[in-house]
Amino acid sequence: MLAQLFTDAAQSCKGSSPLTESLLLNAAADLSAGGVTTRVMAGYERDRKGTMPALRFAGALHRLVLEGRAPGLAKHYPSVGGSPHLATLWDAVLPVLREHTDELRARIGATVVQTNEPGRSAPLFGGLQVAAHAAAVAAGRDEPFPVRLLEIGASAGLNLHPDRIAYRLGDGAVVGDPDSPFVLDPEWTGRPSVDLTRPLRIVEREGCDLHPIDVSTEDGRLTLSSFVWADQLHRWDRLQAALELAAADPAPVRQATGPDWLADRLAGQVPDVLTVVWHSVVWQYVSPADRAEGRAILADAVARATPEAPLALLVYEPRRTHTGYEFHLLLKLWPAGVSLRLGSGRGHGVPFNWEEQEWV
């Protein structure tokens, strides 16, 4: 039932986005009552939970606010300078739904949820440092390997620039690129087990996505911005900084399935470079068939890896625990045989707790 999916999505916002929680709870009640939300969501009644219809609804409304076409609603949206008043929020939403019913329905049908959260660059940066160092030790090299970074489910490619971000650590130290316009407080507990002051050299960066977003366009920037919950200004500011960084030097993101693209990119060895396959919070959206094919392609590449042309898998994905779900940063490195859980954090990558242990 669509109303239940909206209610479930609202619960996921509880404690972190009161604006989105209130919006979705009211929309769920309106759906149950057969109100205007029913017309806006017409055709999507049987959408799967994984397609996140409620967040597509919220994103479509936010997009109208960002475009300046819902001034009454904008008064509640901090992303454009407003201040939420939850008791009257739905009263401001209703006229927007009535006026833009057809447009909202079309946008909800044409988009997929893509937050491309740049906070995940922080655990990625530390994980790449660990991988480059461990591969060098295994190969008997004095210096860490340069990195070839390949991302599956890259969206707009915002997390393909971890070396170009300034990471401000708790003791005041800054690692990464201290001259970057994007300064990120990663909120780390602990540190990676390597020297972070050594430059991370990424010599090639590329991604794939079924629905890539072009950050050089206004439409692309608005699409990503619309999926940030409007009262989470820390995430909003982080995204805008990442968009500025990516627009100056966009990383290529190909429109392709993960297995097809990965088979092409891993077909040959690249000597004197550590090839890293990376993905974050994407596994849940991949079909079982594509998962199996992707594993087989990776296994073939693993068999060809050498100390001089090593291969790594680095992922940041949710894993079920006795208390629910945690997001774990996991590393496998071949042929060195390294298998580590580097730590855990929240879905957006910030904060993060470094705690290196064997990954079995």
Side-chain angles (χ1 to χ4, degrees):
M1 184 177 179
L2 192 57
Q4 186 60 53
L5 294 184
F6 271 61
T7 301
D8 292 345
Q11 290 300 315
S12 72
C13 306
K14 192 171 184 177
S16 58
S17 178
L19 173 68
T20 310
E21 181 189 7
S22 178
L23 170 67
L24 296 183
L25 285 175
N26 278 284
D30 195 55
L31 281 167
S32 296
V36 64
T37 311
T38 306
R39 298 195 296 276
V40 172
M41 297 301 298
Y44 312 123
E45 295 88 351
R46 298 183 181 278
D47 279 13
R48 294 179 298 103
K49 181 178 181 179
T51 67
M52 300 183 180
L55 297 187
R56 284 154 45 214
F57 170 84
L61 274 174
H62 194 189
R63 173 74 176 247
L64 287 177
V65 169
L66 295 175
E67 292 175 339
R69 297 195 292 133
L73 184 56
K75 296 175 183 178
H76 295 270
Y77 276 62
S79 57
V80 292
S83 180
H85 185 247
L86 301 184
T88 61
L89 172 65
W90 190 245
D91 292 334
V93 170
L94 284 172
V96 179
L97 298 181
R98 295 185 182 115
E99 181 181 354
H100 299 281
T101 300
D102 293 339
E103 180 182 353
L104 286 167
R105 185 191 306 114
R107 181 162 296 282
I108 289 165
T111 57
V112 295
V113 176
Q114 294 200 45
T115 54
N116 205 194
E117 175 55 56
R120 295 175 194 143
S121 284
L124 171 61
F125 172 80
L128 289 175
Q129 292 274 30
V130 172
H133 174 79
V137 170
R141 295 169 58 112
D142 294 330
E143 295 293 325
F145 270 92
V147 170
R148 177 185 181 225
L149 182 58
L150 307 176
E151 182 177 15
I152 299 169
S155 185
L158 300 188
N159 286 312
L160 284 167
H161 302 85
D163 54 327
R164 296 175 179 167
I165 298 172
Y167 302 93
R168 186 175 53 211
L169 306 184
D171 59 2
V174 176
V175 297
D177 180 0
D179 298 320
S180 174
F182 182 10
V183 180
L184 175 60
D185 179 359
E187 298 182 39
W188 282 351
T189 299
R191 299 280 177 87
S193 59
V194 294
D195 182 3
L196 296 177
T197 64
R198 288 191 172 189
L200 173 64
R201 293 189 296 145
I202 299 181
V203 295
E204 182 181 346
R205 64 192 86 217
E206 186 179 338
C208 75
D209 199 279
L210 288 175
H211 307 279
I213 292 178
D214 184 354
V215 295
S216 69
T217 67
E218 181 68 9
D219 178 71
R221 292 190 291 273
L222 279 170
T223 297
L224 286 180
S225 298
S226 71
F227 284 120
V228 174
W229 294 336
D231 51 351
Q232 292 190 323
L233 289 181
H234 60 291
R235 287 185 60 214
W236 174 267
D237 292 341
R238 197 157 64 208
L239 176 64
Q240 303 314 307
L243 287 171
E244 178 184 349
L245 185 66
D249 184 20
V253 180
R254 314 299 180 193
Q255 185 170 21
T257 67
D260 288 346
W261 178 78
L262 199 61
D264 176 71
R265 303 310 291 144
L266 296 181
Q269 290 179 319
V270 182
D272 298 317
V273 170
L274 169 63
T275 295
V276 179
V277 177
W278 151 256
H279 58 81
S280 64
V281 198
V282 71
W283 201 238
Q284 66 206 65
Y285 305 113
V286 179
S287 70
D290 278 356
R291 291 185 186 185
E293 187 178 355
R295 288 191 181 103
I297 290 166
L298 186 65
D300 287 344
V302 166
R304 297 191 301 270
T306 68
E308 293 74 30
L311 174 67
L313 175 67
L314 185 64
V315 303
Y316 188 65
E317 297 286 353
R319 296 175 70 86
R320 189 184 296 275
T321 70
H322 65 282
T323 58
Y325 284 92
E326 287 184 352
F327 290 79
H328 290 181
L329 184 66
L330 305 172
L331 170 66
K332 284 187 177 291
L333 176 65
W334 300 279
V338 171
S339 184
L340 297 172
R341 184 177 82 89
L342 298 176
S344 60
R346 293 185 183 172
H348 298 144
V350 178
F352 187 84
N353 179 49
W354 291 96
E355 188 178 11
E356 189 173 303
Q357 56 188 268
E358 288 296 315
W359 174 26
V360 180

